Amino acid sequence: MSDLWTQRWDERYKAEEFAYGENPNEFLREQLDLLAPGKILFPAEGEGRNAVYAARNGWKTSAFDISSEGQKKAFALADKNKVTIDYRVGLLETLGYQSEEFDAMALIYAHFPAEIKSQLHRLLHQYIRKDGYVIFEAFSKKHLDYIARNEKVGGPRDLASLFSIEEIQEDFSDYEVILLEEKEIELSEGLYHNGLGSVIRFVGRKK
């Protein structure tokens, strides 16, 4: 991943205000509340809002990102909520996670660079135990139309970085599909996710 990519996210996260707010993503909250707490991994977790929510609700929570500024904000939010999270900074293959270590993984607007996004999904697969869960929400390929109408909704502006149902089916082919849909939703998350958007939502259980 390029230094420019890291700098972009450090710049966004070093502001005092939380870029996407302090509250968890609504879909993540709904889905996590259906599961018994265990060990959970949050890739591309940014400022920690979802990881902190999980920790508050009894999960043993791990997270990672390329942004050290995001990590600082996440630790501050964890302290504010009187919880502990394991948050690592760096590229996935350097972070020392173990095979089948986690009971669940939450990919919430984890828009990795287009050229590596499917590869990373497959790498992450190894860290989920059999019968473990993936919870996923990210912008769909239709979302470009929503950005054209309202830039405040946020999200990538290149089609290849957005998701389709078919891509998720291929990337997570080793999962029983519990939910997979493309949906228009209203977002109100901090500074950068505001207004109508189009998302892919997926919940799967590893076979």
Side-chain angles (χ1 to χ4, degrees), residues 81-97:
N81 284 272
K82 298 180 173 56
V83 295
T84 300
I85 60 174
D86 169 30
Y87 190 124
R88 306 177 191 184
V89 173
L91 300 179
L92 174 59
E93 56 270 25
T94 71
L95 298 179
Y97 298 121

Side-chain angles (χ1 to χ4, degrees), residues 139 143 146-147 149-150 153 184-187 194-198:
F139 291 116
H143 186 66
Y146 291 81
I147 296 174
R149 294 196 292 267
N150 171 27
V153 72
E184 180 182 89
I185 65 169
E186 179 81 29
L187 284 163
N194 291 286
L196 282 177
S198 177

Side-chain angles (χ1 to χ4, degrees), residues 96-123:
Y97 298 121
Q98 302 301 308
S99 178
E100 299 187 355
E101 181 177 350
F102 296 99
D103 302 296
M105 175 173 67
L107 289 154
I108 305 299
Y109 297 99
H111 285 277
F112 300 111
E115 63 273 15
I116 62 169
K117 65 179 187 178
S118 289
Q119 176 189 352
L120 277 170
H121 285 165
R122 293 176 189 127
L123 282 172

Side-chain angles (χ1 to χ4, degrees), residues 140-152:
S140 82
K141 293 189 183 295
K142 291 181 182 176
H143 186 66
L144 288 179
D145 294 336
Y146 291 81
I147 296 174
R149 294 196 292 267
N150 171 27
E151 291 188 353
K152 291 183 179 179

Side-chain angles (χ1 to χ4, degrees), residues 128-146:
I128 309 303
R129 66 165 176 81
K130 185 179 182 298
D131 294 323
Y133 291 86
V134 169
I135 301 167
F136 176 100
E137 180 175 284
F139 291 116
S140 82
K141 293 189 183 295
K142 291 181 182 176
H143 186 66
L144 288 179
D145 294 336
Y146 291 81

Side-chain angles (χ1 to χ4, degrees), residues 6 10 65-73 89:
T6 303
D10 277 343
D65 204 288
I66 56 170
S67 172
S68 58
E69 295 293 336
Q71 183 194 49
K72 290 176 190 175
K73 296 277 276 296
V89 173

